[in-house]
Amino acid sequence: MSTAVVWFRNSLRIHDNPFLSWACNSEEVDSIVPVFLLDGYLTSVRDGEIGFNRFRFLVDCLKVLRDNLEKKMNLELKIYTGGALRNIESIFQNLDGENNFLAYEYCNKPRGLMLSSQITEWSMKTPKNCIVKSFPAVHTLLDIEKTISSPTYFDPKSMKNMERIFMNNFDVDSFGYYNINEPIPVPNKTKTNANVSISVNDISISELELELGTLFPDRLNERHYFRGGEDEALDRLSRKIAKQEDFVNRFSKPRTCSTNLDDNPSEPSTTGLSPYITTGCISVRMLWKECEKAYLNGEHTKPPESLHGQLMFREMFYLLSRSVDNWDKSTNNINCKNINWDEYDSEKMDSWESGMTGFPYIDAMMRQLDETGWMHHLGRHAVSCFLTRGQMWQNWTAGRDVFEKKLLDADWAVNNGNWLWLAGVAPFSMPYYRIYNPCPDSKSSLNVETKHANFIRRWVPELRFFPSKYIFEPHLAPLSIQISSKCIIGDDYPLPILDRKKTRKENLARFKASIT
DNA sequence: GGATCCGTTGTAGCT
DNA sequence: AAGCTACAACGGATC
């Protein structure tokens, strides 16, 4: 009697799931226990490191995973909280028989890597015979460890570099596309569900929902813009990719902003798939292949702007997160220039995080982030530039933490990579003098209704009666306009926390002084 | 080996 | 009113 413990770490899905499929198909396995280990997750939520939307989304994902495992494979997902290593040990102590397996996916994060090696070490000592089977490239296209240990590997910092790495790892087919494996279908045979009766740290979905309600009682009735889980992910894939050939072929990341900043925040102008990629509700391989199907039918954009390009940047950050020491630090990180950022200023940081800087475009973005867990990529550029080298001169790690807490697509490798990039401290192409204007719509001065202005009215309702001409810098509006717009600046909406032109000039000089 | 090009997405001010 | 120009000027790859 041999049992496989199938440990879902990043990939909360049953399609294209190599470790689950292996357990279902292997002759060596008689029964299966699917598990998800919260590890320190609940502590992070309680400590305020993970916010409402992220927690809510994860619970959704787990619920759908549980239901799919039950409905389609007659397996019961077990969820445990507390230390992951201790969970694994007690699960195996309660398993009968020998030749039991632990099938899990590779994890790139420091804590995950440490757990992997601790588990391997423990498995070699355990008399209960736990055979560890680690599956690489479940959450990424590349096998991260294999790629970075290749003698030809070097830290990539451009799309050209990534293309070289892809060429070294994948053959190119007769159409000129990388030969990336087809996704694995949902296993069509299953095994019996092994019964592990450990009650210690066992936690149910309804207990998680209770916890969510206890921690965020005033947010439970909010509208949820993204529903978590594999079903929603596959549905979105079908809606936005499979049935949208033109959209896929024309996709160009820098030019997706014209349609996003409207009053329909539930439908981004990009794919809106990022929360599902982060949680592994959709497999990146499947997304890659779906894009390729559209590409085969005509002209299409290319990396870096294309959807394949976006996925390649994700691979780039996963590689760097492993090959660059201190990837998430602003010191002792070869990918981070030493900038003399100001001390953490909690007043400034609070106004940035809560959308009360007095810069409506910035505030609208930050309020959208808090309510929906999502922000358009150009908004991310604007608010991160504002926080760091543009205006506030705060360390990028402070902004990174806020994104980590609130973004549904928060991903350790990608989030840090993007902040390094946007703060201008990484060796990626970001000339430091390219500073984004926090009041960006030149048309507003002509009193033209713009998408940006409507976007601000949607998310900063204090300003909903303001004319476009003044909506980016409402403190410049004459008092008569403020009165007729029912919003007195400094009273109903904050005055700007800083002089954007003055800080821009000073910071440009400081940045230059820091790097030369 | 010095010059030139390039890098996923700039801004301000003028006409 | 969109398009031009000046700004400020990194750092590695390529020729």
Side-chain angles (χ1 to χ4, degrees):
Chain A
M1 209 31 205
S2 160
T3 299
V5 175
V6 173
W7 178 21
F8 292 82
R9 300 179 86 175
N10 318 303
S11 304
L12 306 181
R13 62 170 185 268
I14 60 171
H15 76 272
D16 195 28
N17 187 326
F19 57 93
L20 176 65
S21 290
W22 170 81
C24 290
N25 295 322
S26 171
E27 308 248 308
E28 299 171 276
V29 175
D30 301 307
S31 62
I32 291 176
V33 187
V35 299
F36 180 82
L37 309 179
L38 284 155
D39 203 29
Y41 196 93
L42 291 179
T43 308
S44 298
V45 177
R46 288 172 197 140
D47 291 349
E49 290 159 13
I50 293 173
F52 167 71
N53 267 311
R54 276 199 64 191
F55 185 26
R56 193 259 315 158
F57 193 84
L58 178 75
V59 176
D60 282 354
C61 293
L62 291 173
K63 202 192 284 182
V64 173
L65 180 66
R66 178 198 62 184
D67 291 349
N68 281 341
L69 283 167
E70 192 184 311
K71 274 186 299 195
K72 296 178 184 165
M73 313 185 69
N74 209 19
L75 295 171
E76 185 196 352
L77 178 69
K78 289 282 198 181
I79 302 170
Y80 296 100
T81 183
L85 182 63
R86 295 234 325 268
N87 294 154
I88 299 266
E89 286 173 2
S90 50
I91 292 167
F92 276 86
Q93 269 161 22
N94 281 274
L95 283 179
D96 295 326
E98 304 231 315
N99 294 315
N100 296 316
F101 293 92
L102 176 63
Y104 67 72
E105 55 186 315
Y106 166 76
C107 177
N108 67 312
K109 294 191 277 290
R111 165 86 184 153
L113 285 165
M114 192 182 73
L115 273 175
S116 299
S117 67
Q118 284 174 341
I119 285 165
T120 306
E121 212 173 288
W122 160 81
S123 75
M124 292 189 291
K125 289 188 298 207
T126 176
K128 293 293 271 187
N129 207 359
C130 166
I131 303 157
V132 170
K133 284 193 77 83
S134 173
F135 289 75
V138 179
H139 201 51
T140 50
L141 298 168
L142 293 164
D143 178 335
I144 301 300
E145 297 299 318
K146 187 176 144 234
T147 307
I148 64 168
S149 55
S150 149
T152 59
Y153 175 80
F154 59 96
D155 291 339
K157 59 185 188 59
S158 67
M159 192 44 67
K160 258 205 178 95
N161 294 164
M162 280 313 292
E163 273 162 357
R164 202 148 104 194
I165 288 172
F166 266 51
M167 292 296 275
N168 289 338
N169 281 275
F170 303 109
D171 297 330
V172 172
D173 70 15
S174 52
F175 296 101
Y177 297 109
Y178 299 115
N179 214 336
I180 285 165
N181 289 341
E182 287 295 335
I184 310 169
V186 175
N188 56 11
K189 54 178 173 178
T190 184
K191 299 279 161 67
T192 57
N193 197 103
N195 196 19
V196 266
S197 50
I198 50 163
S199 52
V200 185
N201 293 333
D202 188 334
I203 190 165
S204 66
I205 301 273
S206 44
E207 284 170 306
L208 286 173
E209 283 171 333
L210 203 64
E211 179 84 19
L212 183 71
T214 309
L215 288 170
F216 305 98
D218 50 339
R219 299 201 62 169
L220 282 183
N221 294 323
E222 279 182 18
R223 174 183 170 192
H224 301 155
Y225 295 87
F226 294 88
R227 214 169 65 237
E230 181 177 11
D231 297 354
E232 180 68 22
L234 291 173
D235 186 56
R236 181 169 278 272
L237 181 77
S238 156
R239 282 197 329 265
K240 301 287 282 196
I241 306 291
K243 291 178 184 164
Q244 299 279 345
E245 219 161 72
D246 278 359
F247 170 76
V248 173
N249 286 340
R250 281 205 284 261
F251 189 92
S252 180
K253 190 76 178 277
R255 284 188 279 280
T256 52
C257 98
S258 62
T259 55
N260 84 299
L261 300 175
D262 57 19
D263 55 3
N264 179 14
S266 59
E267 201 46 66
S269 62
T270 45
T271 65
L273 282 167
S274 58
Y276 305 96
I277 297 170
T278 296
T279 46
C281 290
I282 185 81
S283 118
V284 282
R285 209 176 341 271
M286 187 174 236
L287 173 54
W288 181 276
K289 285 291 185 184
E290 284 299 325
C291 293
E292 199 175 288
K293 281 182 197 164
Y295 292 168
L296 285 165
N297 286 331
E299 284 286 297
H300 58 86
T301 52
K302 301 267 156 54
E305 289 93 357
S306 64
L307 279 167
H308 274 188
Q310 305 313 307
L311 290 174
M312 290 171 81
F313 275 119
R314 179 174 181 273
E315 300 288 313
M316 174 168 126
F317 288 145
Y318 266 79
L319 292 171
L320 291 171
S321 78
R322 280 292 295 128
S323 62
V324 173
D325 288 337
N326 299 307
W327 173 245
D328 58 353
K329 307 284 191 308
S330 59
T331 49
N332 301 318
N333 176 347
I334 53 159
N335 259 26
C336 180
K337 288 173 192 141
N338 236 329
I339 303 294
N340 195 17
W341 303 112
D342 285 344
E343 285 292 299
Y344 183 91
D345 183 328
S346 55
E347 207 173 305
K348 275 190 190 158
M349 283 304 303
D350 287 349
S351 67
W352 182 80
E353 179 175 346
S354 59
M356 293 291 277
T357 65
F359 289 90
Y361 183 65
I362 301 296
D363 293 344
M365 291 291 174
M366 294 306 292
R367 294 184 193 187
Q368 180 191 28
L369 169 64
D370 188 69
E371 189 174 322
T372 70
W374 192 84
M375 194 196 297
H376 187 270
H377 74 279
L378 287 184
R380 300 181 195 199
H381 283 210
V383 301
S384 58
C385 185
F386 186 87
L387 181 90
T388 56
R389 67 203 162 83
Q391 270 74 33
M392 285 170 61
W393 205 254
Q394 291 283 292
N395 196 318
W396 58 271
T397 54
R400 182 271 319 272
D401 291 340
V402 173
F403 274 24
E404 186 72 28
K405 170 175 160 184
K406 297 191 176 183
L407 274 174
L408 290 181
D409 57 30
D411 179 301
W412 184 74
V414 180
N415 192 26
N416 279 289
N418 278 323
W419 274 94
L420 285 160
W421 196 324
L422 265 299
V425 295
F428 316 133
S429 69
M430 174 49 77
Y432 67 83
Y433 45 84
R434 188 175 290 166
I435 293 174
Y436 297 87
N437 186 349
C439 310
D441 206 316
S442 61
K443 283 195 177 110
S444 65
S445 62
L446 304 166
N447 211 2
V448 170
E449 288 303 317
T450 66
K451 294 267 185 192
H452 284 62
N454 286 332
F455 178 78
I456 289 169
R457 292 192 187 96
R458 166 66 180 81
W459 291 105
V460 187
E462 303 98 293
L463 299 170
R464 68 191 176 283
F465 302 121
F466 247 77
S468 295
K469 184 174 180 179
Y470 296 106
I471 205 166
F472 289 91
E473 293 182 275
H475 65 290
L476 297 180
L479 193 60
S480 59
I481 301 251
Q482 297 186 27
I483 290 166
S484 63
S485 303
K486 298 185 173 67
C487 181
I488 308 301
I489 305 307
D491 193 353
D492 304 316
Y493 178 74
L495 283 158
I497 57 165
L498 44 80
D499 179 333
R500 70 175 171 96
K501 289 183 180 168
K502 185 165 153 270
T503 49
R504 180 190 200 275
K505 212 172 157 199
E506 286 167 0
N507 293 347
L508 200 58
R510 285 170 92 177
F511 206 104
K512 184 187 169 185
S514 293
I515 59 174
T516 48

